[in-house]
Every structure is written in structure tokens, then in C-alpha cells.
Amino acid sequence: QVQLVESGGGLVQPGGSLRLSCAASGSIFSINAMGWYRQAPGKQREPVASITSGGSISYADSVKGRFTISRDNAKNTVYLQMNSLNPEDTAVYYCNVKARNWLTTYWGQGTQVTVSS
């Protein structure tokens, strides 16, 4: 079974930065994409950023220019560098992996990001 281990969440002041990490472990023969979703209280879960195994990157308009997604293929790890954070970024952030010819979806346990003064 595949396990996604997330870390890096916490409390930061507006304008601050955080770096999230998500390491995938287990018997994964092919990962098609890794990325991040987030869900704020009372809101639906929304995609934030993703990177495919081929290197294609996508960002939500709300985070473009502030967040950067990257990966370490040797470690099956994806990162999300979050800069210039504002209170609207407050949410639970979930790591997401698509694998097995896009047929299988894995989710991390979620990590809380709170932006507040």
C-alpha cells in the first residue's frame, strides 16, 4: 500500500512563508502526477498546484506567483514553497498522487496551514 507523509504546516503571520513536503512510499510502479489541494472551512476542496512526471506544472490563479511546486523523483517527494502568505491561504492542505495510468488516486492525511497575525 502507498503512504503519503505530509509535513511543514503550521502558523505563520501574513507575508510569511512555509514549505510543505509530501513523501510517497510503498509499491508505486508509476506516478503520473503529484500535487496539492486545499480545503478551507465551509469551502470545497480545490486544486492548488500539480506537477506531472513529465514536468508539466499547473497553479491555481489564486496562488500563481507566490507558490512554487517542485519534486525530487529519487525520493518520490513533492514540495510546495509558499511565499507571501495571506489569511485567505488558511486551509488544510492535502497531498495528492495520481498513479497507474491515472487510474489510482492517493491522498495524504492533510496538514493545517494557518495565516494569522
Side-chain angles (χ1 to χ4, degrees):
Q1 284 288 325
V2 173
Q3 183 180 19
L4 305 182
V5 180
E6 302 177 359
S7 62
L11 173 65
V12 296
Q13 294 185 335
S17 299
L18 284 174
R19 189 182 190 222
L20 306 183
S21 299
C22 174
S25 63
S27 299
I28 306 178
F29 292 102
S30 63
I31 295 177
N32 302 115
M34 303 184 74
W36 297 90
Y37 286 67
R38 68 184 182 185
Q39 187 167 24
K43 304 287 184 62
Q44 56 186 13
R45 189 175 298 186
E46 63 177 357
V48 176
S50 66
I51 181 168
T52 70
S53 295
S56 297
I57 294 175
S58 296
Y59 295 104
D61 288 341
S62 59
V63 307
K64 196 170 300 182
R66 300 186 297 120
F67 291 9
T68 302
I69 190 169
S70 61
R71 66 183 181 183
D72 185 336
N73 289 334
K75 299 179 180 179
N76 280 339
T77 300
V78 63
Y79 306 93
L80 187 66
Q81 178 67 47
M82 305 184 294
N83 299 326
S84 301
L85 287 163
N86 59 62
E88 288 68 47
D89 297 314
T90 296
V92 177
Y93 284 70
Y94 296 92
C95 182
N96 171 270
V97 172
K98 297 287 188 179
R100 201 166 68 88
N101 294 320
W102 303 89
L103 295 177
T104 304
T105 301
Y106 303 98
W107 290 98
Q109 79 282 1
T111 183
Q112 177 71 48
V113 171
T114 302
V115 185
S116 176
S117 59

